[in-house]
Amino acid sequence: LGKKVFHLREKGLIPAELYGHDIKNEHLAVAVKDFKKAYQEAGENTVVDLIIGTRDKRQETRVPVLIYHISRHPVTDEVESIDFYKVRLDEKLRTKVSLEFVGESPAVKSLGGVLIKAMKEIEVEALPADIPHSFKMDLSRLADLNQSLYVKDLENPSGGRVKILVDHESVVVTIKPRMTEEEEKALTEAAVPSVETVKVETEEKKLERAKKT
């Protein structure tokens, strides 16, 4: 804590906090190399074993946790601190699972469509061990303009063990026609008032004030 954090990072360690079921908050230090490897494989919604022990490894405790929160440096994007949340493997929990978009849409490739992603993650409820790393959405199914894929189209390999808490008719991704130059110009002009318009509005307000006085 405090000034000691700087010395931890110099040694290649990341300060961390452990909390959750039947455990007191505990301050930890995790090796940067080990954490990056585990995070790349598990992400924030997959249970990992956090091994807590002394340096001589004579006493070790394995705790099932989720990587609950990560704080990053705003410039370097390096991990500055980690929150680990202890879970009970026999108790369901709610979390958000990221969406992984795979494949290429023929409507984008051949028809010049614009891919619009309405969601990046999905809230689910499941036992910790059943929570998937991600849900896959196959974009190759989008062959026409104005076509959409929905939550019900997600690949869910859990066999019903993961309950999706989002309306299954919600749009995840859609294909829209690319705007013409005239449409883009009209949209820009509608969003940004011209100097003449602002001037006329100002003069009208002056007249209104004059009439009231």
Side-chain angles (χ1 to χ4, degrees):
L1 298 174
K3 294 181 180 179
K4 292 182 180 180
V5 171
F6 176 76
H7 297 293
L8 283 177
R9 294 187 180 124
E10 278 192 327
K11 297 177 181 178
L13 300 172
I14 307 171
E17 186 86 3
L18 171 64
Y19 50 87
H21 277 294
D22 308 320
I23 192 171
K24 293 182 180 179
N25 285 24
E26 190 170 352
H27 305 301
L28 308 170
V30 181
V32 174
K33 184 179 180 180
D34 293 342
F35 174 74
K36 285 185 175 180
K37 182 180 179 181
Y39 185 65
Q40 185 176 8
E41 295 178 3
E44 293 185 3
N45 52 4
T46 303
V47 176
V48 296
D49 279 338
L50 182 64
I51 303 172
I52 305 173
T54 56
R55 291 184 179 180
D56 56 17
K57 297 185 178 181
R58 284 182 295 182
Q59 295 180 346
E60 287 186 348
T61 304
R62 286 179 177 264
V63 182
V65 300
L66 291 176
I67 302 170
Y68 194 70
H69 179 72
I70 296 174
S71 295
R72 294 181 180 273
H73 191 280
V75 178
T76 64
D77 201 41
E78 288 295 319
V79 177
E80 293 194 317
S81 65
I82 312 161
D83 285 1
F84 293 109
Y85 180 75
K86 181 187 176 186
V87 298
R88 286 184 52 176
L89 298 178
D90 61 347
E91 184 177 282
K92 290 184 178 182
L93 56 84
R94 290 188 175 191
T95 188
K96 291 182 179 179
V97 177
S98 60
L99 298 178
E100 182 182 353
F101 297 95
V102 298
E104 185 177 9
S105 166
V108 172
K109 185 178 180 179
S110 303
L111 304 178
V114 178
L115 184 70
I116 299 175
K117 298 175 182 176
M119 294 184 185
K120 293 182 179 180
E121 55 188 14
I122 296 288
E123 188 175 15
V124 303
E125 182 181 70
L127 292 173
D130 291 332
I131 298 172
H133 179 62
S134 64
F135 285 123
K136 291 185 178 181
M137 178 66 83
D138 185 5
L139 299 180
S140 65
R141 300 167 65 184
L142 293 168
D144 300 314
L145 297 176
N146 297 312
Q147 184 182 353
S148 301
L149 291 177
Y150 303 84
V151 171
K152 63 184 179 183
D153 298 317
L154 289 171
E155 296 180 16
N156 186 356
S158 64
R161 297 188 302 274
V162 177
K163 182 180 180 181
I164 295 177
L165 301 177
V166 180
D167 186 351
H168 287 207
E169 296 299 327
S170 299
V171 173
V172 175
V173 62
T174 190
I175 298 289
K176 291 293 184 182
R178 190 177 300 276
M179 287 192 296
T180 64
E181 292 184 7
E182 291 76 12
E183 289 173 331
E184 290 182 356
K185 183 178 179 181
L187 185 63
T188 303
E189 291 176 349
V192 182
S194 64
V195 176
E196 291 77 7
T197 304
V198 174
K199 183 177 179 181
V200 169
E201 289 178 348
T202 305
E203 290 176 350
E204 287 177 350
K205 288 180 180 179
K206 287 181 180 179
L207 290 173
E208 289 178 4
R209 286 197 296 269
K211 289 179 181 179
K212 290 179 181 179
T213 56

